[in-house]
Amino acid sequence: MRSVERLFGHLEMEIAEFKAQSSLHCIAGCGKCCTKPDIEATPLEFLPYAFHLFINGQAEDTLEKLQKESFSTCYIYSPLSITDQSSGNCSEYPFRGLICRLFGYGATRDKFGQLRLATCKLIKEGQSENYQKTSEAITRGVYVPIFSDYYKKLSQVDFRMGNSFMPVNKAIKTAIEEVLHHYAYRPFPKKFRKVA
């Protein structure tokens, strides 16, 4: 878990630098990308969230909800209203997955090996001038975090969990199961024990 957190910390610094250079930003209160029903992730990227649930005594309840209910969007996405699902935010932002961190501020390679910024239509159209400038800068070699590079780094932490792509809620569920299995026969971490 600490290795995943270190990787995320490094990525956050790179994204902050990229945001400053590009002036691209998500629209406040927009959660449109989170409402996609086919988002895939790995259990490893949600291990810090699963551990957070565990140390706060919420792992079993959350696991039960994920097993019993069917969620069409990411479990930790919180829409602002029932009628407008595309406005909202991540209810566990510090514990969001790698896919969530990279989208909008990371690049993928096209079939010709060229880097293409992976972002939403709202940013492409609403911030078109900055988007065009940033796309051109990327082709000239300006650094941008690359999805495949970060997923390779993630898989180096734990090959099995870092290469098992699945629907995001299944990834969260699997991460919680991993943490619960790990601590099934181990003592609660000393650092997080409450003093009576």
Side-chain angles (χ1 to χ4, degrees):
M1 186 199 64
R2 284 196 223 33
S3 297
V4 174
E5 288 177 332
R6 278 193 296 273
L7 181 65
F8 285 175
H10 182 74
L11 175 59
E12 289 302 311
M13 288 189 293
E14 288 188 355
I15 287 174
E17 188 177 323
F18 180 73
K19 281 182 183 179
Q21 288 179 352
S22 69
S23 297
L24 293 173
H25 60 278
C26 288
I27 299 159
C30 179
K32 193 168 175 95
C33 60
C34 303
T35 63
K36 285 184 57 120
D38 58 348
I39 296 171
E40 287 204 337
T42 67
L44 189 56
E45 60 198 276
F46 284 101
L47 205 59
Y49 174 57
F51 184 73
H52 166 75
L53 292 172
F54 175 73
I55 61 168
N56 288 292
Q58 301 168 335
E60 282 102 356
D61 289 343
T62 304
L63 181 61
E64 191 175 324
K65 285 178 191 169
L66 285 164
Q67 288 170 333
K68 284 184 175 179
E69 299 176 39
S70 177
F71 298 90
S72 60
T73 60
C74 177
Y75 175 76
I76 60 177
Y77 173 65
S78 180
L80 294 178
S81 75
I82 297 169
T83 56
D84 182 10
Q85 293 287 309
S86 63
S87 294
N89 56 42
C90 180
S91 64
E92 298 290 347
Y93 191 78
F95 301 106
R96 69 199 186 283
L98 181 58
I99 186 72
C100 314
R101 294 166 191 269
L102 283 167
F103 188 74
Y105 307 107
T108 58
R109 292 193 186 277
D110 65 17
K111 62 182 179 181
F112 304 108
Q114 299 299 311
L115 291 175
R116 299 282 180 247
L117 189 62
T119 193
C120 70
K121 186 177 179 181
L122 295 173
I123 290 176
K124 286 178 185 176
E125 293 176 359
Q127 301 170 49
S128 60
E129 190 176 325
N130 285 340
Y131 173 74
Q132 282 299 344
K133 285 179 185 175
T134 301
S135 294
E136 290 166 12
I138 289 170
T139 60
R140 290 193 309 272
V142 165
Y143 180 78
V144 60
I146 301 169
F147 274 73
S148 58
D149 291 353
Y150 266 92
Y151 272 100
K152 282 178 192 167
K153 290 175 185 179
L154 188 70
S155 73
Q156 290 171 355
V157 173
D158 184 292
F159 187 81
R160 179 183 58 84
M161 282 199 300
N163 280 297
S164 299
F165 286 87
M166 55 190 69
V168 67
N169 290 330
K170 186 174 181 189
I172 293 170
K173 179 177 158 292
T174 305
I176 295 168
E177 290 169 343
E178 287 285 335
V179 170
L180 290 173
H181 289 154
H182 181 79
Y183 285 105
Y185 299 103
R186 291 178 177 87
F188 195 85
K190 283 182 187 177
K191 181 179 174 181
F192 299 101
R193 288 182 197 159
K194 292 180 182 167
V195 180

